[in-house]
Amino acid sequence: MYGKGLRPLSIATVAALAASLSLVFFYAPLDADQGFVQKIFYLHVPLAIVALLGFVAGGVFAILHLRSGDSRWDAYSYVSIHMSVIFGVAVLITGSIWAKASWGHWWVWDEPTLVSFLIVFLMYATYYPFRYAIEDHERQARYASVFAVTAGAFVPLNFMAVRMAESLVHPRTFATAEGGLPGEMMLTFLVSLAAIGLLWTTLVKLELTAKSASGQLKRLRRALDAPGTGGASRVAPEVS
Amino acid sequence: MLPLAAPALPLDEAGKYVAGAYVVFLVLIVIYVAIMAAKVQRIERELRELAGFAETRSNGGQAAAEREEVSAR
């Protein structure tokens, strides 16, 4: 069920990533301030935006799970958060590389944008042990959904607080007062954002497909009363 | 206090950082896809085992039914 449309989505993702890379390296002009290092922007910022939106999506799916009790929404919420945590790792590493190249430091502790993203990331890193600590599957799903809703609401609040805070060094991407991005850079950025968004969606779909296959295999094993390789996973939700 | 507008790095030095950032991203995606591939392979293997088990059980059941039929005659 989840695998439907995975192939065209994967092809669209590869095409979008190729277009994005071509635009980044052959079309977008060099930044007057930072020069070639600014090319990291087209990877780092879309990754951050998609990761944060993924966390919010995890919260929305969790609300649907709590309202309906349908375990499918719990699986969507789990996989969205899981994928956004992976993207979050990429955001922190690419951000550190960019910081070292631009500011001469791998990390700046008094910079609200960096520290707030780290707080959000660490908060979601606790999602796994929190989920893993509960054995009963229904209770596990319910508590994880409550966590996802609360943490998901924190993400936009945190984002707004950071926007209001005075930044020391971190640039504001769409700051209209400072002029924003020129047309070619904006186009490149939007294509990169679409490519990273498609990549996130494809990987979420891929993981849901694998979980669905695994869940159906377990059901089949139970129905046939066959010797298995173990019970259901304690961490990941089962998808049928 | 960090400088707000540090001078741009020369291309040979900036290139290392840009390449590093994109390679890290690529490596993360490759690791993830490799883990997923291993997972899919495990599912395939379990499915084969299960199909074998179901066939054996079905053949065993048929043989038992035939034996019962013969003994009834």
Side-chain angles (χ1 to χ4, degrees), chain B residues 1-44:
Chain B
M1 185 75 173
L2 292 165
L4 278 173
L9 289 172
L11 190 65
D12 59 331
E13 207 174 322
K16 282 189 285 188
Y17 287 108
V18 175
Y22 279 86
V23 165
V24 161
F25 171 68
L26 186 72
V27 166
L28 271 175
I29 298 300
V30 167
I31 290 172
Y32 177 79
V33 171
I35 291 170
M36 287 308 294
K39 209 180 258 187
V40 169
Q41 274 180 344
R42 188 184 48 107
I43 290 170
E44 268 190 335

